[in-house]
Structure formats: C-alpha cells, structure tokens
Amino acid sequence: MNPTESNNQHPQLLRALGLREGIAIHMGVIIGSGIFLTPAKIAGELHAMGPIMLVWIVAGFLTLFGALSLAELSAVLPQAGGPYVYLRNSFGRVWGFLFSWNDFFINKAGSAAAIAIAFVTYMGYFVPAVSPENAFFKTEYHFLGTPMEFSFGWTQIVAMLVILIVTYINVRGVKLGGAVMTVFTSAKVLALLGIIIAAIFSAKGSSANFLPWWPESWSSAMTAAFGVAMISALWTYDGWIDVTLAAGEFKNPQRNVPLSLIIGTLSVIALYIAANLAYAYIIPISQMPGSPRVAADVAQVLFGPVGAGLIVFGIMCSTFGATNGMLLAGPRSIYAGGADGTFPKAFGRVHPEYHSPYVAIITLGVWGAILTLSGTYDQITSYVVFGSWAFYAMTAVSVIILRKKMPNAERPYKAWGYPYATLLFVAIAGWFVWNTLVEDTRNAIIGIVLLLVSLPLYFYWTKKNDEGEYFKGFNVGAFFLTPFWLLFHKRIGWGIILLFYSVIGRIVPRIVPFDFALARSILSLVMLAVSIGIASYFGIMGNDIAWKERGYNSIEQLRKGERGWNVAGIMLGVMISLLIIVFIVF
C-alpha cells in the first residue's frame, strides 16, 4: 500500500507540493556551495579551458540522462522514498534498504554537516569570531590511517543551530519546507545570475584568460586528472535524485516530479557552464587554483568589497537552502523503509498535526549535528561516492527491469532516448565506479564495508517487523550466510582458505595504512569471507525463483537446497581458477 494514501486510523503524508516547489527543491539541493568553490579545484587539475568545460558538460549530461531515467520511474511509482521504492520493486527489498542506509546515515547526514559548516565559514566574512580558526578546542587524531580533526567552537555551535532550525522547519510540514526552499533557491540563482551578467558586460575581463584552450598532448596523467576533476564536478551536481524522495507529497506527481527533474537539471547545467565561463573571463585559468573562494574573488573584481559581501551573502543563502533540502528530502528514504519494515517502524511514523515523518527528520538532524563535531564529514562523504554512484546506476537499470516486470503500468512520461540514454548513463556511471575503485581503492573499500555492516541490522529488523519474511530476501541471505558456512565445510578445506589468503594478501597492502602483520591478517580473513560470499551470491541468485517457490525458512533448509548449492560450487570453482590464472600464472 502506498504509505501516503489516506487512512482514518493513522496520520499520513500530505500531497502539498507543486511544480514550483519541485523545481526549487531540485535546484536548491544541487546548488550548494560547490559551484562557488569547485571551479578553482578543477582548474588546478586540468590547467586548460577546453578540458575544464568538457568536464562540466559531460558531468551535466550524465546527470541529465540519470534524471531522465528517474523521471519515468517517478511517474510509474510516485511514492515517498524515490530510489528506495524503485530498487525494491526491481531488485528486492534489501537493495532499497542498502540505498537508504547509504543515503540517510552517511550521505545526507554528512552533507548536511558539511554544508552547515560551509554556511558558518562564509558567515565568518561578516562575523570573524565564528571562523573555524577561532575554535575553543582542537585536536587531531587518525582513523583508519586518515588524519582527522576534532574541533569545537562557534563554528560548530552555529552549524548545529542551523541544522536545528531546518529540522524544526521540516518537522512543521513539507509545505513550509517547500516554501523555504523556494525563497533560498531564488536567492542563490539570483546571486549566480548577478555574477554571470556582470561579467558579460564588464570591461575588467578578457577572452585571453581562457587560454590555453587545450593541452599540448593528452597523456595518461591527463586522463587521471580528468577523472579526478569529474569526481569534483559530479559532486557539485549531486542531489539530483532528491526531489524523487518526496514524490509521495507532490500534487499530480506523475506530471510535477518528472518536470521538476527535467527543468531543474537543464537549468543547473546552463547556470554551471555560464558561471565557469564568467569566472574564467575575469580570473585567468592559471591564477584560478590560487583562488579557493573563486566566486567571491570574481565579485570583488567586478563590484569591489561591497560586491564580494553580496556574493558571500548569496553563498550563505545557498548553503542554508541546501541544508534545508537535506532535511526535507533525506528523511523520506528511511521513512519509506520504516513503513516497509526494513527499518524500525518508528521511522515510518507521521506527525498527527504536521503530517511530516518527524522521527526520521529529527534522527537525521541529530546525527548531522553530531557530525559537525567530528570533523570527519568531508571524509565520510568521500566514502559514499562509490556506493552512491553504484546505486544511481542500479536505479537507472530499474527503468529497463520495470518495463519488463510492469509492462502494463501507466507511464505518463517515458525516458527520452530509451534505452540508449539509459544505457549510456549506466555505462558512464559504471566507469565512474570502477575509476573510483582503482584510483581511490581505500575509500571505496571503506564505503563497501560501511554498507556491509548494515546487513545484520537488515536481517534483525526485517525478522522483527515481519517474521514470515525473514528469509524471503534470498539473494542477500545467501551473501550474508554463505561465507560462514563455506569457510568450515569439509568440501572446501583449508587449502582454498590459504589460496584466498595468499591472493588477498597481494591487495591488502594497498588498503591498510599501517604495517602490523596481525591487522593485515585479520583484514585478509574478513575479505576472504566476503570474497567467498560474493562468489556464492552470484551462483545462488540464479536459483532465486526456485528458492521463493520452495519457501525455505531456516538455515538448515537453506543448506539443503541442492541445485542452488551446486551452482554456487561451480561458480566458486570458476572464481578460484581465474584467481590462480591471474595471480599465479601471470
């Protein structure tokens, strides 16, 4: 049942948002502080205008292709939770759960903390006392080999106050939250347009600042730099899925959500490209890497100190609005999980007066406020890049799957360029995930581990909320239970364990930041269990239909599924053979 449908016994979400609020939410969440800061970082990577513009165009159209796919899904399944609902209907409940875990506890909370800190950092332009360097207490420590910082001062106090304010706004109802988004999105768009228009008519710029247009040669180092720059650009475009999380609260969602996605994404692409041209017209590319607050520096050249102050105020409006967007859209994914039984049912509660998912909103607000103290929010968001884009790719694939599974469903909007645009998005997203795994292996592995540690909670919560459905999610059941059974099964033997250990031992030094042999051994054994689980998972998932038909409901019955285990054994043997060829012969 759609959790937003009216029910006389329990309060439900209200459909109170229209197209205007939808566009404001979509653009407001995407446009945070990134476009005011990131261009300088990308210029430092690429050093030529052509590749810089190519990064923004490719990242923009990748985002657009993803938005076009989501537009169809939001029209077919206009429910609260967005990708949670799409993945649940396409791949199973557990994939919706994993998306919500990643999106809610790591992505949205980390982003809310980071953006709130950015708000206070820019406030320091007017009130120096709140600047991060004036912290009351500051200390450094290491977590998984990464230097971290714990600090406490006015920066953290004001950031927590910002999160508290937007939490209160969104608990009061989606209509108020949408109205706040409309005001602050308008302010940030006007700030960007002000810079762009002023730069066009300014005599202080020069087209010579665009040079060099292209590097003398395109080397492998340039390709790696382009990939790093793409990560920064895609992070600046991130948030393009968020409006679908609130689809259950839109009036006429089959029309308004797809239009919000398409109009909002095209508008952001146009603004980002124009802003980069405006920045480079005023500040030469060679000088831009030394201008970390590039938008404010451009405004100071154009308007003087007063202009810089106005732009800083615009950035504060932008970051406040984006923080509000995190607390508006983010809680809907875990609300959908609570209503569906994959998270505690408390997350599915709706306020009796304001009709908002208040438990989910308050939880996100508290967790985001805590992260402002940790000093780890930037690192946390880097952990979720890998997982987030893997889920984005899976969500796009859902368009294809649901056309097969739900051929007769009403589709008031169909993805443009289907299936080519969808497949192109999946291919590029797949490359991005692979590039992240290769170039940033350690953070990617940490991101995967952060997902895997949620699986015991998934089984506990689904068992508690729906006793009869505990083993229905067979695919992930196989993934989670198989390693522990296979490790000690007499047909596997210690020979295979030692083989896996020797193979994994060649990868571990790239991930472990310290040289303790015991720590490496423990991590290798953990990776061994996960590796065997992955092999068995891919083997057994082919027997998914047979599993559901048989209705196994215990570990003993799971173990006796002859056909599934035969397939798993074959797949495991193939995997071991490939490992021998790759790591021993070569």
Side-chain angles (χ1 to χ4, degrees):
M1 182 181 70
N2 183 350
T4 60
E5 291 177 357
S6 59
N7 187 305
N8 293 329
Q9 297 180 345
H10 303 285
Q12 303 296 316
L13 302 181
L14 296 179
R15 294 196 181 273
L17 300 174
L19 179 60
R20 180 181 61 185
E21 292 84 3
I23 295 173
I25 292 169
H26 187 59
M27 295 182 66
V29 172
I30 294 175
I31 304 174
S33 60
I35 190 58
F36 301 100
L37 306 172
T38 304
K41 181 180 179 181
I42 292 177
E45 295 287 346
L46 299 177
H47 309 290
M49 195 64 190
I52 290 172
M53 296 309 298
L54 187 61
V55 160
W56 287 101
I57 292 170
V58 170
F61 276 91
L62 177 61
T63 302
L64 177 62
F65 291 156
L68 292 171
S69 298
L70 254 69
E72 175 173 327
L73 294 170
S74 65
V76 175
L77 296 166
Q79 301 172 22
Y84 175 92
V85 179
Y86 315 147
L87 293 171
R88 180 194 65 193
N89 284 275
S90 301
F91 297 97
R93 293 171 75 193
V94 70
W95 294 105
F97 167 84
L98 288 172
F99 164 82
S100 292
W101 174 272
N102 181 82
D103 186 67
F104 182 89
F105 286 106
I106 308 171
N107 197 338
K108 291 295 187 295
S111 296
I115 297 171
I117 290 289
F119 172 88
V120 183
T121 301
Y122 275 97
M123 182 185 286
Y125 183 89
F126 302 109
V127 187
V130 303
S131 297
E133 56 267 21
N134 296 324
F136 307 147
F137 175 78
K138 183 182 294 185
T139 185
E140 294 183 354
Y141 62 98
H142 286 74
F143 176 73
L144 296 176
T146 301
M148 299 290 186
E149 180 183 279
F150 174 86
S151 59
F152 182 76
W154 285 111
T155 299
Q156 284 69 34
I157 293 172
V158 177
M160 294 172 73
L161 181 62
V162 169
I163 293 176
L164 174 64
I165 291 171
V166 297
T167 299
Y168 174 75
I169 288 171
N170 286 284
V171 167
R172 288 294 300 264
V174 72
K175 190 172 183 178
L176 177 60
V180 170
M181 284 302 300
T182 301
V183 171
F184 283 91
T185 298
S186 300
K188 69 179 74 178
V189 170
L190 288 174
L192 273 175
L193 287 176
I195 293 178
I196 294 166
I197 295 171
I200 291 173
F201 294 102
S202 173
K204 299 178 181 179
S206 172
S207 58
N209 292 344
F210 295 142
L211 300 177
W213 181 257
W214 203 259
E216 294 181 2
S217 62
W218 193 285
S219 61
S220 58
M222 189 66 183
T223 301
F226 190 87
V228 172
M230 274 286 290
I231 293 175
S232 298
L234 287 170
W235 185 253
T236 308
Y237 279 108
D238 201 26
W240 53 272
I241 69 165
D242 286 8
V243 70
T244 66
L245 294 170
E249 291 156 283
F250 272 84
K251 294 176 285 188
N252 192 7
Q254 289 89 346
R255 170 186 177 272
N256 288 332
V257 177
L259 284 177
S260 299
L261 284 162
I262 296 168
I263 296 172
T265 303
L266 288 172
S267 299
V268 170
I269 292 171
L271 279 172
Y272 279 10
I273 292 174
N276 276 273
L277 290 170
Y279 297 162
Y281 185 66
I282 301 299
I283 298 180
I285 295 173
S286 59
Q287 298 178 20
M288 200 177 290
S291 177
R293 297 181 180 180
V294 61
D297 292 339
V298 168
Q300 180 145 354
V301 172
L302 291 171
F303 309 115
V306 174
L310 289 174
I311 292 304
V312 168
F313 180 75
I315 296 173
M316 290 176 62
C317 290
S318 179
T319 50
F320 184 88
T323 307
N324 181 70
M326 295 297 157
L327 271 295
L328 190 157
R332 271 64 184 177
S333 64
I334 202 171
Y335 160 78
D340 193 35
T342 55
F343 285 92
K345 289 188 178 297
F347 287 121
R349 292 177 184 169
V350 175
H351 196 281
E353 181 180 355
Y354 303 128
H355 297 276
S356 62
Y358 68 103
V359 175
I361 294 171
I362 293 172
T363 302
L364 181 58
V366 171
W367 180 229
I370 291 172
L371 290 182
T372 65
L373 296 173
S374 68
T376 63
Y377 34 81
D378 287 333
Q379 192 64 41
I380 287 175
T381 53
S382 71
Y383 294 156
V384 303
V385 168
F386 179 87
S388 295
W389 276 91
F391 286 120
Y392 294 165
M394 290 180 66
T395 302
V397 172
S398 296
V399 176
I400 300 172
I401 293 176
L402 291 181
R403 286 209 182 184
K404 301 294 184 182
K405 294 179 69 174
M406 303 169 60
N408 299 319
E410 182 180 355
R411 286 177 170 80
Y413 170 82
K414 292 187 177 182
W416 176 85
Y418 175 88
Y420 306 108
T422 300
L423 292 175
L424 180 61
F425 172 83
V426 173
I428 298 177
W431 167 83
F432 182 72
V433 169
W434 171 255
N435 185 71
T436 303
L437 183 61
V438 172
E439 299 294 333
D440 196 11
T441 305
R442 188 172 158 278
N443 281 342
I445 294 296
I446 292 174
I448 293 171
V449 171
L450 289 174
L451 286 175
L452 293 179
V453 297
S454 70
L455 290 177
L457 294 174
Y458 168 79
F459 287 109
Y460 172 75
W461 285 331
T462 51
K463 181 181 181 180
K464 183 177 180 180
N465 291 331
D466 195 350
E467 292 287 340
E469 296 292 325
Y470 182 47
F471 281 101
K472 294 297 184 182
F474 176 70
N475 289 357
V476 175
F479 178 86
F480 185 66
L481 296 172
T482 299
F484 304 100
W485 183 78
L486 284 179
L487 275 174
F488 302 102
H489 192 267
K490 61 183 180 181
R491 296 181 183 178
I492 300 300
W494 288 101
I496 294 177
I497 292 178
L498 293 174
L499 174 62
F500 268 89
Y501 180 84
S502 64
V503 171
I504 296 300
R506 302 182 63 150
I507 302 175
V508 169
R510 295 186 61 189
I511 303 166
V512 180
F514 38 79
D515 296 325
F516 299 116
L518 177 60
R520 288 189 178 188
S521 300
I522 293 172
L523 183 56
S524 295
L525 289 173
V526 172
M527 292 179 67
L528 159 63
V530 173
S531 299
I532 296 178
I534 292 172
S536 303
Y537 165 63
F538 282 110
I540 297 173
M541 73 183 222
N543 198 36
D544 185 32
I545 295 176
W547 162 263
K548 290 180 179 178
E549 288 176 351
R550 294 175 188 178
Y552 295 147
N553 56 13
S554 70
I555 294 177
E556 182 63 23
Q557 288 179 330
L558 170 64
R559 191 179 70 81
K560 290 181 178 178
E562 327 84 17
R563 183 181 171 190
W565 288 103
N566 289 339
V567 175
I570 294 171
M571 292 296 295
L572 186 59
V574 170
M575 184 177 180
I576 293 171
S577 300
L578 290 174
L579 290 173
I580 292 173
I581 293 172
V582 173
F583 287 95
I584 297 179
V585 176
F586 291 98

